[in-house]
Amino acid sequence: MNKKILIVEDDVHISKIIKMNLNIVNYATTEVYDGLAALEALRQEKFDLILLDVMIPHLDGFALMEHIKPYRIPVIFLTAKNSVYDKVNGLKLGADDYMVKPFEAIELLARIETVLRRYGKEERIMEFQAIQVDIDKREVTKHGAAVELTPKEYELLVVLLKNKNIALSREQFIDKVWGGDYYGETRTVDMHIKSVRKKLDLHNHIKTIYKLGYRLED
C-alpha cells in the first residue's frame, strides 16, 4: 500500500507542486490549506507523514504540532522562516525535520525517505514490473528467480526504484551510490546502468536523458 502524506500548505501553487512530485514517486497525498482543516483531515484519515507549513491560517504550524503529537505521526516542517530560533523551536515541538523554502523536490523526497525509514515505515519490499527487491535481505528477483547484482548495481537499482519517473543526473547517482568522497569519472555510472539494464532486461524502462543522466519509467 502506498504511503499517505498530508500536505498542510496555504500556498496552493506550492502545495500542487509538492503533490505532483510525491504522486510521481507513488506517495498518496491529501492537501489542506489551514490548521483547522488539517485537524479535520487527521480525524478522518490515517497518515504516514505530515508536511507542515508554519505560517498557515487559523492555527499555525507550531500550534498545530500540539494536536498532532497524540497521533504519533512524523512531521517535516516546510517554511520560509529560516532563523535558528524557529528551527530549534520546531524541532523542540517534536518535528522530525525542518526544511526552509525554497527547496528542490529531490531533497524533499530524500528527507521524507529518511524520516519514514527512521519510523520503520519505509517500504521493505520494492516492486517494478516482474522485479522484486527485498531491502532487508538485499535480494533481487525477477519472475521469482534470483538475479545476481554487484553491490553497486544493487544500490543503483534501489536509487532508480526510489526515484521512479524522476530524472537523475550522473552526479546525483555518484553521490547516492558511491558517496560524496568519490572522485572518479561519471562514466562509471553509464557502465553500471548498462549492466543493470542487461541483467534485468530494463532496456525499455531505464531511459537515457540527453546530457543529464537516467530515469526509470513504467
Side-chain angles (χ1 to χ4, degrees):
M1 182 181 295
N2 294 344
K3 299 305 179 187
K4 181 173 283 190
I5 297 178
L6 176 63
I7 304 168
V8 188
E9 166 63 67
D10 66 328
D11 186 314
V12 176
H13 177 67
I14 293 176
S15 182
K16 295 300 181 187
I17 291 175
I18 293 172
K19 176 183 176 66
M20 177 186 70
N21 282 287
L22 295 184
N23 290 164
I24 285 173
V25 293
N26 296 319
Y27 287 116
T29 53
T30 295
E31 296 174 275
V32 294
Y33 308 105
D34 65 70
L36 295 181
L39 283 178
E40 186 60 28
L42 286 170
R43 295 187 188 105
Q44 295 183 5
E45 302 180 64
K46 291 184 178 181
F47 297 97
D48 296 287
L49 183 138
I50 300 172
L51 298 177
L52 179 59
D53 185 17
V54 174
M55 302 301 291
I56 50 177
H58 305 315
L59 192 65
D60 69 39
F62 288 157
L64 185 58
M65 275 299 299
E66 295 300 323
H67 298 274
I68 292 173
K69 284 180 181 179
Y71 292 94
R72 298 183 180 278
I73 302 172
V75 173
I76 298 177
F77 272 126
L78 308 178
T79 178
K81 296 168 71 67
N82 62 355
S83 73
V84 173
Y85 170 79
D86 287 318
K87 291 180 182 178
V88 171
N89 189 33
L91 295 172
K92 279 187 174 181
L93 286 171
D96 295 88
D97 206 342
Y98 191 109
M99 294 189 67
V100 177
K101 302 173 187 175
F103 47 78
E104 295 293 332
I106 192 167
E107 180 185 1
L108 175 60
L109 294 173
R111 300 283 190 100
I112 290 172
E113 177 186 315
T114 298
V115 171
L116 288 178
R117 186 187 304 119
R118 191 183 306 148
Y119 273 72
K121 294 182 177 181
E122 182 190 34
E123 294 290 351
R124 307 312 295 171
I125 301 293
M126 304 180 72
E127 296 182 342
F128 181 81
Q129 303 296 319
I131 298 166
Q132 186 175 85
V133 178
D134 188 314
I135 299 296
D136 294 322
K137 297 180 180 179
R138 290 180 68 89
E139 291 180 350
V140 180
T141 60
K142 182 163 186 177
H143 296 298
V147 178
E148 294 297 327
L149 299 181
T150 68
K152 294 303 183 189
E153 289 169 355
Y154 169 83
E155 292 174 25
L156 190 68
L157 174 63
V158 171
V159 169
L160 285 166
L161 290 170
K162 288 181 176 179
N163 295 277
K164 188 172 65 174
N165 296 321
I166 295 177
L168 297 178
S169 69
R170 290 173 176 82
E171 290 74 19
Q172 286 172 315
F173 281 111
I174 289 290
D175 184 60
K176 291 175 177 294
V177 176
W178 283 267
D181 56 352
Y182 175 82
Y183 294 105
E185 295 184 1
T186 57
R187 186 184 301 273
T188 190
V189 175
D190 302 327
M191 295 169 57
H192 282 77
I193 286 285
K194 181 178 179 180
S195 182
V196 170
R197 276 173 170 159
K198 182 177 180 180
K199 289 183 177 181
L200 292 167
D201 190 23
L202 288 173
H203 299 86
N204 294 327
H205 296 285
I206 300 179
K207 305 292 185 179
T208 300
I209 310 302
Y210 183 61
K211 289 187 177 181
L212 177 68
Y214 300 93
R215 178 175 61 232
L216 180 66
E217 296 181 355
D218 288 316

